[in-house]
């Protein structure tokens, strides 16, 4: 899976992932039920991927936005997006009214705002003559591994060998106290686990299955946050 080379492609990937998770929330709220699991999944993606995208854009695409009015407006849009993510995150924690209808309004507004912002951002950057390269191609965070590492089980065989440790480490940083994560592979992941254990000392690694056809290692976060 190649890195996105244009900002438009990167935006499309992010918007698709957010839309998928918003749709999951709306499916539940349409039945007048509280979308706890779905809302947490959306909030987790927004915090891990969308906020990282905003930071990478400000750092790589328009670091001197104060001198260009169009880019200054984009920075203000980013502030509003961060505020929206805070609202979704707070709602996922149970802050405010627990109304499925209200949640539906919140996530629809987020999606509309995000879609409009991406379109405006691409147009503004084109108008200033700035490169329309993706943040990933300029050294920013790669978004394409999140869906492969999001759940409680990571299939290591689905990850490129050269990015495997980065993808797993990024997932470890999202692991909550007491949460379990299983690493599965057709090969012994001993080297990966030893490298992670050497630098990530807050995590424990224990084999649940040791081949010969399938290997499974359970990772736990051992400290309170």
């Amino acid at each position: 899976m190649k890195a996105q080379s244009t900002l438009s492609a990167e935006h499309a990937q992010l918007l698709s992932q957010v839309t998928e998770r918003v749709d999951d929330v709306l499916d539940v709220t349409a039945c007048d039920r509280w979308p706890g699991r779905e809302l947490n999944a959306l909030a987790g993606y927004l915090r891990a991927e969308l906020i990282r995208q905003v930071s990478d854009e400000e750092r790589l695409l328009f670091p001197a936005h104060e001198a260009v009015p169009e880019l200054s407006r984009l920075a203000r849009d980013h502030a509003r997006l961060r505020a929206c993510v805070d609202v979704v995150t707070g709602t996922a924690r149970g802050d405010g009214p627990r109304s499925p209808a209200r949640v539906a309004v919140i996530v629809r507004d987020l999606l509309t705002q995000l879609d409009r912002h991406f379109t405006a951002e691409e147009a503004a950057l084109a108008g200033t003559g700035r490169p329309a390269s993706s943040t990933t191609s300029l050294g920013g965070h790669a978004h394409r591994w999140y869906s492969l590492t999001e759940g409680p089980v990571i299939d290591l065989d689905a990850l490129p060998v050269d990015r495997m440790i980065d993808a797993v480490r990024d997932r470890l940083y999202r692991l909550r106290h007491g949460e379990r994560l299983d690493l599965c592979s057709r090969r012994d992941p001993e080297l990966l686990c030893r490298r992670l254990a050497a630098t990530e000392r807050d995590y424990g690694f224990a084999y649940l299955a040791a081949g010969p056809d399938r290997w499974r290692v359970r990772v736990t976060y051992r400290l309170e946050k």
Side-chain angles (χ1 to χ4, degrees):
M1 193 182 300
K2 294 182 179 179
Q4 302 292 356
S5 60
T6 67
L7 186 63
S8 178
E10 190 171 63
H11 282 169
Q13 181 185 44
L14 283 161
L15 188 61
S16 173
Q17 291 294 311
V18 174
T19 299
E20 180 180 318
R21 289 162 175 80
V22 165
D23 286 344
D24 289 342
V25 172
L26 294 176
D27 285 345
V28 177
T29 59
C31 300
D32 198 30
R33 292 188 287 110
W34 181 253
R37 180 175 61 84
E38 295 78 10
L39 200 53
N40 275 301
L42 172 61
Y45 185 84
L46 294 173
R47 291 194 305 270
E49 301 297 306
L50 181 59
I51 294 301
R52 189 92 62 99
Q53 174 72 16
V54 165
S55 297
D56 283 346
E57 286 178 353
E58 291 171 351
R59 176 172 59 90
L60 297 169
L61 298 181
F62 46 101
H65 58 76
E66 301 87 355
V68 183
E70 292 85 354
L71 300 187
S72 182
R73 284 195 291 272
L74 295 180
R76 290 197 296 271
D77 280 353
H78 282 178
R80 286 190 285 270
L81 281 174
R82 286 187 172 101
C84 276
V85 172
D86 286 345
V87 170
V88 172
T89 300
T91 304
R93 288 197 305 260
D95 298 345
R98 292 178 61 88
S99 164
R102 178 57 185 159
V103 169
V105 171
I106 290 171
V107 298
R108 285 195 185 101
D109 285 349
L110 165 74
L111 194 57
T112 298
Q113 181 177 336
L114 187 60
D115 190 11
R116 289 175 178 170
H117 170 68
F118 281 163
T119 300
E121 187 167 65
E122 291 163 26
L125 287 169
T128 63
R130 297 272 178 135
S133 300
S134 67
T135 62
T136 305
S137 66
L138 297 174
H141 171 71
H143 301 283
R144 59 196 184 280
W145 311 128
Y146 188 94
S147 60
L148 298 178
T149 62
E150 184 175 9
V153 178
I154 296 179
D155 181 1
L156 298 178
D157 300 329
L159 297 170
V161 174
D162 62 335
R163 298 304 302 271
M164 185 183 300
I165 191 166
D166 290 335
V168 174
R169 181 180 284 119
D170 194 62
R171 177 65 177 90
L172 292 184
Y173 293 158
R174 305 196 304 271
L175 208 61
R176 297 182 299 275
H177 173 66
E179 184 181 2
R180 295 172 178 175
L181 175 69
D182 288 359
L183 309 177
C184 297
S185 177
R186 293 188 299 272
R187 296 172 292 277
D188 187 355
E190 179 187 8
L191 179 59
L192 171 70
C193 293
R194 282 200 285 111
R195 290 179 63 188
L196 288 169
T199 57
E200 311 300 331
R201 301 182 184 279
D202 295 341
Y203 303 89
F205 300 82
Y207 277 86
L208 299 183
D213 300 320
R214 198 69 178 166
W215 302 77
R216 192 179 189 100
V217 174
R218 175 153 294 171
V219 188
T220 53
Y221 184 66
R222 299 184 295 201
L223 300 180
E224 293 283 358
K225 288 194 175 183

